[in-house]
């Protein structure tokens, strides 16, 4: 049942809700929360459809707030409120109120929404697009116990993540974080199956996908290891690789459907990691209305502390390959990671973690990862002076990391080669065509505390 109200008030909307529920024979209100959706006309249909689908799991009163911009200055001075009241089959398992605000009343939307909230029920405010920089201090956001945003819908998702970290308040959450829940569950379950120490990790996905950044920050925050952020063609999040003391762990999803989980000395297994609809993400967020401390901790770790890939300079010499595999390579990797953590160099720069020479404009590692140097347990390093980076003094940092890798793998020291002009300490060679040029290189990263084993 649908009722249209033109130039109305909140009192008339409440009366229309009661009348409509009695007309369909369900005067009792069996809803558990109020969901306030703040959006524009363009995205209102999709947002309301997702909310109606989520209401099958969480019966709720859905209030859609659409601020309409008047065309002429004269119309902007006139205030008007139009509403649609939907109950029954048109509103999922709850009821729906669509508010269109014109003129000055659009600046005081909270005064219109407040009388329509369900009494003694939690309030969740959701911005599908155009979320405010500080949701907790927004007039509508202040009404809710939970505030849901989606940084993936922002024009600059990485800047949006920085704003979320700066203005975080308990109760804030992000659908970009909700999208990686199955990945976090699968990785935690994989680590529970083996008794090991995680040395380093790498996350690969689309270049400006905030879910990829959040997963990398979560790994770095929880494991206290260096995490490299690689770039792939997508879609979304594609791969997570972790180097451990017992061998590599790899979770790979090529196309957004099934993923492949690889553990050392165990058969590969296929796991379900499908890309979920917005209604499923919203339903997950409505299951718990208390603050998400894990999200807050990962968000505050900071995007800028993640390590990016290094691009090999043209004409650079290949690294020497370590002979042998197994315990010696694992020990060399642990020694390199420990030395880098104490000395400030990135553990992923050389030795036993992953191939340092990368292909791709944004510095993503090659798909071989740990096996890129000839198989699991092999170490690789670049010749000093043969890598170009975006920060001053990068050549010296790479040289020291390469020397540590040779010592760990019992390799004879390689003769230093002359670096091409403009490579060491240069800012131009690595930045050209590098979509990840704003990210600090591993040499510029602050030291990260390594995990301790009992």
């Amino acid at each position: 049942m649908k009722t249209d109200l033109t130039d109305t008030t909140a009192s008339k909307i409440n009366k229309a809700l009661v009348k409509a529920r009695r007309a369909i024979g369900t005067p009792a209100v069996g809803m558990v929360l109020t969901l306030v959706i703040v959006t524009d006309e363009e995205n209102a249909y999709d947002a309301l459809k997702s909310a109606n689908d989520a209401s099958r799991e969480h019966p709720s009163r859905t209030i859609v707030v659409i601020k309409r911009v008047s065309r002429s200055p004269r119309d902007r001075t006139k205030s008007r409120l139009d509403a649609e009241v939907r109950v029954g089959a048109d509103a999922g398992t709850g009821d729906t109120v669509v508010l269109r605000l014109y003129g000055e009343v659009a600046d005081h939307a909270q005064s219109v929404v407040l009388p329509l909230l369900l009494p003694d029920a939690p309030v969740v405010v959701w911005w599908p697009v155009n979320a405010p920089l500080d949701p907790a201090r927004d007039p509508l956001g202040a009404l809710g116990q939970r505030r849901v945003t989606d940084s993936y819908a922002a024009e600059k998702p990485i800047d949006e993540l920085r704003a979320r970290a700066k203005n975080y308040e308990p109760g804030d959450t992000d659908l970009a974080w909700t999208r990686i829940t199955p990945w976090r569950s699968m990785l935690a379950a994989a680590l529970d199956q083996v008794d090991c120490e995680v040395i380093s990790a790498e996350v690969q996905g689309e270049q400006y996908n905030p879910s990829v950044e959040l997963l990398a920050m979560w790994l770095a925050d929880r494991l206290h290891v260096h995490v490299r952020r690689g770039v792939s063609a997508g879609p979304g999040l594609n791969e997570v690789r972790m180097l451990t003391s017992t061998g590599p762990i790899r979770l790979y999803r090529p196309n957004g459907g099934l993923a492949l989980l690889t553990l050392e000395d165990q058969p590969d297994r296929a796991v379900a990691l499908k890309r979920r609809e917005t209604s499923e993400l919203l339903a997950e967020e409505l299951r718990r209305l208390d603050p998400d401390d894990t999200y807050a901790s990962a968000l505050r770790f900071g995007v800028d502390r993640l390590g990016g890939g290094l691009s090999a300079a043209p004409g650079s010499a290949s690294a020497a390959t370590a002979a042998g595999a197994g315990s010696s390579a694992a020990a060399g990797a642990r020694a390199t990671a420990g030395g880098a953590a104490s000395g400030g160099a990135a553990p992923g720069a050389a030795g036993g973690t992953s191939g340092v020479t990368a292909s791709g404009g944004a510095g993503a590692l090659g798909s071989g990862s740990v096996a890129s140097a000839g198989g699991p347990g092999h170490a690789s390093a670049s010749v000093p002076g043969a890598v170009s980076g975006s920060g001053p003094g990068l050549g010296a940092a790479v040289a020291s990391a390469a020397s540590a890798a040779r010592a760990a793998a019992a390799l004879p020291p390689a003769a230093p080669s002359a670096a091409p002009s403009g490579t060491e300490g240069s800012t131009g060679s690595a930045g050209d065509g590098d979509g990840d040029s704003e990210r600090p290189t591993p040499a510029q990263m602050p030291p990260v505390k390594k995990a301790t084993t009992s």
Side-chain angles (χ1 to χ4, degrees):
M1 182 176 178
K2 179 179 176 182
T3 305
D4 291 329
L5 302 173
T6 303
D7 198 4
T8 186
T9 62
S11 177
K12 294 179 180 179
I13 295 173
N14 264 322
K15 291 179 180 179
L17 278 169
V18 175
K19 182 179 179 180
R21 297 195 67 86
R22 288 177 177 172
I24 64 173
T26 57
V29 179
M31 292 166 281
V32 298
L33 59 89
T34 303
L35 176 62
V36 180
I37 305 175
V38 187
T39 183
D40 53 20
E41 199 71 63
E42 179 183 359
N43 297 278
Y45 175 82
D46 292 335
L48 187 54
K49 184 177 183 300
S50 299
N52 287 342
D53 292 342
S55 70
R56 296 190 181 99
E57 185 175 338
H58 309 279
S60 59
R61 170 171 292 176
T62 303
I63 302 175
V64 184
V65 180
I66 303 174
K67 299 179 181 180
R68 300 290 298 269
V69 178
S70 302
R71 296 183 178 179
S72 66
R74 180 181 301 173
D75 291 337
R76 294 191 189 102
T77 61
K78 299 178 182 179
S79 298
R80 191 174 96 233
L81 171 64
D82 295 343
E84 295 178 17
V85 176
R86 305 177 186 179
V87 295
D90 295 325
T93 59
D95 52 35
T96 299
V97 180
V98 181
L99 304 175
R100 290 181 172 87
L101 289 71
Y102 300 82
E104 294 180 355
V105 71
D107 298 328
H108 305 280
Q110 71 278 7
S111 62
V112 179
V113 172
L114 187 60
L116 303 177
L117 302 178
L118 290 174
D120 301 324
V123 179
V124 178
V125 185
W126 174 34
W127 291 268
V129 294
N130 301 325
L133 291 178
D134 194 346
R137 288 174 176 78
D138 182 81
L140 283 172
L143 300 176
Q145 284 76 36
R146 288 298 295 271
R147 295 164 293 276
V148 183
T149 60
D150 191 355
S151 55
Y152 186 76
E155 183 179 357
K156 297 180 178 180
I158 308 305
D159 291 342
E160 191 80 1
L161 282 182
R162 295 188 179 102
R164 294 285 164 264
K166 180 180 179 181
N167 302 313
Y168 175 82
E169 293 290 339
D172 292 353
T173 190
D174 194 333
L175 291 186
W177 170 257
T178 316
R179 290 185 180 94
I180 62 173
T181 299
W183 285 82
R184 294 188 292 120
S185 301
M186 198 63 62
L187 292 171
L191 288 176
D192 285 341
Q193 299 179 37
V194 292
D195 184 13
C196 64
E197 174 188 358
V198 179
I199 301 169
S200 64
E202 180 188 356
V203 179
Q204 286 200 5
E206 290 176 332
Q207 184 171 4
Y208 297 111
N209 192 308
S211 295
V212 184
E213 307 283 349
L214 282 169
L215 183 61
M217 290 190 289
W218 173 71
L219 285 172
D221 178 59
R222 307 308 293 184
L223 298 177
H224 302 287
V225 298
H226 177 79
V227 177
R228 295 168 64 90
R229 167 64 165 95
V231 177
S232 66
L237 181 59
N238 290 121
E239 184 176 5
V240 176
R241 293 193 293 259
M242 293 186 292
L243 181 68
T244 71
S245 55
T246 60
I249 296 176
R250 182 177 187 241
L251 184 59
Y252 176 60
R253 185 182 69 177
N255 55 12
L258 285 177
L260 186 68
L261 177 62
T262 303
L263 296 174
E264 190 74 9
D265 299 328
Q266 294 188 25
D268 296 349
R269 66 196 73 175
V271 294
L273 278 179
K274 72 181 186 71
R275 296 172 64 84
R276 297 183 293 170
E277 300 291 336
T278 305
S279 58
E280 299 176 82
L281 304 176
L282 185 61
E284 179 184 325
E285 284 300 332
L286 296 180
R287 288 183 196 129
R288 51 175 296 176
L289 300 179
D290 54 322
D292 192 340
D293 296 332
T294 306
Y295 164 70
S297 181
L299 185 67
R300 287 169 172 164
F301 182 84
V303 177
D304 297 331
R305 293 182 63 188
L306 296 176
L310 294 176
S311 299
S316 62
S318 301
T321 304
S327 60
S328 62
R334 288 194 296 272
T336 306
S342 60
T353 56
S354 56
V356 71
T357 55
S359 60
L365 291 179
S367 59
S369 186
V370 176
S372 61
H378 286 70
S380 63
S382 296
V383 175
V387 177
S388 61
S390 59
L394 179 61
V398 173
S400 61
S403 300
R406 292 191 193 94
L411 292 175
S417 59
S421 60
T423 56
E424 183 173 353
S426 173
T427 59
S429 57
D432 295 340
D434 190 349
D436 215 22
S437 58
E438 295 182 359
R439 191 184 309 282
T441 62
Q444 296 172 316
M445 286 184 55
V448 179
K449 180 181 178 182
K450 202 179 95 169
T452 59
T453 56
S454 57

